[in-house]
Amino acid sequence: KRRHELYEQNKLEILKKGQQKGRELKQEVMLAYGNKCCCCGESQIEFLTIDHIFAGGKQHKQQLNTHGTGFYKWLKKQNFPKDNYQCLCYNCNCAKRTSPTCPHQQKL
């Protein structure tokens, strides 16, 4: 009961600390994977994500029972493996899911 009371009294501060830790972890992960989209070069961290190069990301995260920050923690614990992961922006990552190649890679 006391722990719950302390949490309620300090809720905003606790949440802010958690968000800051999440931002720091994302920065560390993105830096480990080049800090920019491998396809288009986007470097704004808010737009960056980690892509499973050979697909299967949804299944992999379900298997790990995690997503978001939990996935970043897993990557860090695995020493940032490069064989199956790369940094992509959300646009390139989504394009990869819906077409064989990203529009940036298609010849006009």
Side-chain angles (χ1 to χ4, degrees):
K1 183 178 177 183
R2 177 71 177 135
R3 189 186 318 192
H4 178 71
E5 289 172 1
L6 286 172
Y7 174 78
E8 287 301 319
Q9 291 170 358
N10 300 295
K11 192 176 190 175
L12 289 176
E13 185 179 327
I14 292 168
L15 292 173
K16 284 181 184 179
K17 283 183 182 179
Q19 289 173 337
Q20 181 61 32
K21 282 185 172 187
R23 281 191 294 273
E24 290 170 1
L25 177 60
K26 183 174 182 176
Q27 288 173 339
E28 185 178 1
V29 170
M30 294 307 154
L31 185 61
Y33 287 95
N35 223 22
K36 66 180 181 177
C37 178
C38 293
C39 181
C40 72
E42 175 64 60
S43 61
Q44 187 71 34
I45 194 162
E46 291 85 358
F47 300 138
L48 299 179
T49 187
I50 297 298
D51 169 58
H52 286 71
I53 296 172
F54 304 108
K58 181 179 179 182
Q59 296 82 2
H60 182 233
K61 291 175 185 175
Q62 286 175 340
Q63 179 186 13
L64 295 174
N65 195 29
T66 192
H67 63 281
T69 304
F71 180 57
Y72 292 160
K73 287 179 183 177
W74 181 86
L75 287 168
K76 182 176 179 178
K77 191 181 262 188
Q78 303 304 310
N79 200 27
F80 306 112
K82 306 292 192 290
D83 59 336
N84 191 32
Y85 308 97
Q86 65 182 349
C87 182
L88 287 181
C89 71
Y90 282 103
N91 282 342
C92 293
N93 200 347
C94 289
K96 183 179 165 185
R97 289 185 213 150
T98 59
S99 65
T101 59
C102 179
H104 294 114
Q105 305 303 317
Q106 295 174 1
K107 303 219 187 267
L108 299 175

